[in-house]
Amino acid sequence: PLINELPRGQAILIDTSAAANNVRSSCGRGTEGNDVFFAIDVAAGDYWHFHLAADPADPNASMRDPVLYLFSSGLPDNAGNRTCADRSCDFFADRCTNSSDEHFAFVASTAGRWYLGIDDHNAGGGTYVLNAYHPSCRDGVVEHGEACDDGNEINTDACDNSCRKLIRQDGAQESIPNDNDVEANVLVFDVNSLLRIRGTVGGTVDCYPDVFALNVPDQSRLRVAAIASFDGTNETACDASTDAPFSITLQNRTGGQPIPGGVDANGCPALTTANLDAGEYLVTIDASEARADAVLFWMRFELLPPL
């Protein structure tokens, strides 16, 4: 079925019990469940946001562990087109270990037809609920997949022209949603200044990370570190008693290898870089998969001039 022809914004109920297990491996993981596929036609730059979860009305919902993935059909001239047998996943969602929601944001790199796969780690079939959102940024209507939408292209107010929330206040709370590269909170601060942000990450309900974007001047240094608390005036350093079971990773928006953070002398998450190229970077705060409950955190971001 072509998603573009289905009613916009309406949840799609999918029953895979009569389907077959045609794809036994997706995105490097075993997927023994029955699978079905949807087509989607996109223009370059189109933005979609997909959600998949086991149908809560299904009496066997607790037995499902859904996987959602997306791959392109190949080049428009049909050269090098992919098939279900030799494809590779361009986008996928497989972070939660039970029937919880799996989701991802998708910005089409090329025009053409893409395929969305609904699968499961566990054998057999079941019923699932798929939501396919196609928001239009800057139309003044906040839709799912947008952190904000003020209807303008002013990039210096509280909502930038990519419909992302801008955070300037030291000690501010993160703005949800911000669990992917497209909806990342944008941190606004200058070299020789810092910004402390509080938030929540992890747990069985929200097994996705927090993502923060920031612009880095050429050859600047970035320091990111967990702190215990901040009351608007005084900062308490992270120490061995601080609950901080998460990691920090830095990624250049234009690509390249991610830079993993480490820990300081107290075992607290920290990341220090030097001589970064100019551009937008993404900082991901990711909780330990073994952690069942959510973690409250304070994070300190600091930009420094070149050495």
Side-chain angles (χ1 to χ4, degrees):
L2 185 63
I3 286 180
N4 309 65
E5 296 178 349
L6 299 177
R8 181 168 175 167
Q10 183 173 313
I12 305 167
L13 188 65
I14 301 166
D15 188 348
T16 66
S17 58
N21 179 24
N22 294 302
V23 179
R24 296 182 180 274
S25 176
S26 100
C27 311
R29 295 278 304 275
T31 50
E32 296 302 318
N34 300 344
D35 43 70
V36 300
F37 296 88
F38 286 83
I40 173 173
D41 288 334
V42 301
D46 266 5
Y47 174 41
W48 289 77
H49 193 112
F50 299 104
H51 281 252
L52 178 70
D55 179 11
D58 186 341
N60 297 315
S62 62
M63 299 172 58
R64 310 318 306 161
D65 186 0
V67 181
L68 181 67
Y69 49 90
L70 185 75
F71 57 97
S72 68
S73 60
L75 301 174
D77 62 2
N78 217 34
N81 273 10
R82 300 174 182 176
T83 69
C84 288
D86 62 9
R87 80 196 187 289
S88 62
C89 299
D90 292 270
F91 296 84
F92 65 95
D94 182 23
R95 289 187 59 92
C96 303
T97 56
N98 50 33
S99 58
S100 297
D101 185 340
E102 300 285 3
H103 60 275
F104 61 79
F106 161 62
V107 178
S109 57
T110 58
R113 176 156 290 188
W114 292 65
Y115 295 103
L116 188 69
I118 287 83
D119 213 325
D120 201 291
H121 283 302
N122 297 320
T127 54
Y128 303 85
V129 178
L130 173 69
N131 286 282
Y133 303 99
H134 187 28
S136 299
C137 185
R138 300 186 298 277
D139 64 359
V141 179
V142 179
E143 300 174 84
H144 194 96
E146 297 177 327
C148 57
D149 194 330
D150 56 8
N152 63 50
E153 297 188 10
I154 300 173
N155 218 24
T156 56
D157 56 10
C159 183
D160 74 3
N161 57 20
S162 296
C163 291
R164 303 179 300 178
K165 281 280 191 179
L166 275 64
I167 298 179
R168 296 182 175 86
Q169 182 181 354
D170 191 20
Q173 172 79 33
E174 67 174 336
S175 178
I176 298 173
N178 64 329
D179 62 9
N180 60 71
D181 296 357
V182 180
E183 297 170 80
N185 289 170
V186 181
L187 306 182
V188 182
F189 61 111
D190 299 320
V191 173
N192 284 324
S193 65
L194 55 88
L195 203 62
R196 284 156 288 207
I197 303 295
R198 69 183 187 274
T200 305
V201 67
T204 55
V205 175
D206 185 5
C207 35
Y208 280 75
D210 286 343
V211 185
F212 300 92
L214 68 159
N215 281 299
V216 175
D218 192 39
Q219 301 304 299
S220 295
R221 294 173 289 154
L222 173 66
R223 293 178 181 171
V224 185
I227 60 176
S229 64
F230 177 62
D231 64 6
T233 303
N234 301 308
E235 176 186 307
T236 304
C238 182
D239 58 25
S241 66
T242 305
D243 187 15
F246 48 82
S247 62
I248 305 172
T249 305
L250 182 70
Q251 173 75 54
N252 192 319
R253 170 71 80 175
T254 59
Q257 290 296 319
I259 301 172
V263 295
D264 61 17
N266 292 317
C268 296
L271 181 145
T272 301
T273 63
N275 303 320
L276 293 172
D277 294 331
E280 184 175 272
Y281 286 78
L282 299 164
V283 175
T284 300
I285 312 298
D286 203 353
S288 167
E289 292 183 7
R291 182 71 181 240
D293 54 335
V295 182
L296 299 173
F297 68 82
W298 276 97
M299 200 62 59
R300 186 181 199 267
F301 296 83
E302 185 177 11
L303 272 174
L304 299 169
L307 291 171

